Amino acid sequence: AQICYVYFHGDNFEQQIEILDHLKSKTPKSISLLVISASINCFLRRWDRAVLDCNTGLKLDKNNYELQYTKAVALRCMETPDKNDVLEAYRKFLVNAPKDHRKVPEAYYAMAQWSFSQK
């Protein structure tokens, strides 16, 4: 019901984040809420908040590949990202994600592009 309520406000990311922050305080161990919050924070270009959501969720489930992927994207988009952190986040995603996950090819391309752009 909580997730449906968040999606009901899908046309307003700011309102979704407010709702999610409230729900996360009531159910801090909900991986689903953290995944959604991290994604919306990425849409809003709040990279630091997205990474925080991902790190919080990864403390609960270190193998959650959705959070690992979102963390990699957010780290890559930060103003002063650490090259090794970005690549490590993508590697963790690739280790844990199903081999046919739709983001696997994108992860490889992002890692290659990131590596070339940082030289």
Side-chain angles (χ1 to χ4, degrees), residues 85-119:
D85 289 346
V86 172
L87 295 176
E88 183 62 24
Y90 277 115
R91 284 187 195 105
K92 287 180 180 178
F93 164 75
L94 290 168
V95 165
N96 291 298
K99 300 304 174 208
D100 62 346
H101 190 279
R102 67 186 183 92
K103 295 288 187 177
V104 167
E106 186 176 325
Y108 282 114
Y109 289 123
M111 290 172 70
Q113 187 271 340
W114 176 255
S115 294
F116 287 127
S117 72
Q118 297 303 303
K119 291 185 177 184

Side-chain angles (χ1 to χ4, degrees), residues 8-119:
F8 179 72
H9 297 282
D11 60 336
N12 186 336
F13 289 141
E14 294 290 343
Q15 190 173 17
Q16 281 184 312
I17 286 295
E18 286 178 29
I19 294 166
L20 284 164
D21 287 344
H22 175 73
L23 294 174
K24 288 186 305 184
S25 71
K26 292 194 174 285
T27 53
K29 293 187 178 183
S30 173
I31 296 284
S32 299
L33 293 176
L34 291 164
V35 168
I36 297 167
S37 182
S39 295
I40 293 172
N41 276 314
C42 280
F43 285 131
L44 292 170
R45 298 179 182 262
R46 295 178 182 163
W47 314 119
D48 55 336
R49 289 187 67 182
V51 171
L52 180 62
D53 283 333
C54 291
N55 286 339
T56 301
L58 290 168
K59 286 179 186 174
L60 300 170
D61 178 7
K62 68 179 182 173
N63 297 322
N64 185 295
Y65 54 86
E66 297 296 338
L67 288 170
Q68 290 166 337
Y69 181 82
T70 303
K71 180 178 178 179
V73 170
L75 286 171
R76 190 180 80 224
C77 293
M78 293 179 101
E79 188 141 338
T80 56
D82 181 285
K83 179 181 178 181
N84 294 326
D85 289 346
V86 172
L87 295 176
E88 183 62 24
Y90 277 115
R91 284 187 195 105
K92 287 180 180 178
F93 164 75
L94 290 168
V95 165
N96 291 298
K99 300 304 174 208
D100 62 346
H101 190 279
R102 67 186 183 92
K103 295 288 187 177
V104 167
E106 186 176 325
Y108 282 114
Y109 289 123
M111 290 172 70
Q113 187 271 340
W114 176 255
S115 294
F116 287 127
S117 72
Q118 297 303 303
K119 291 185 177 184

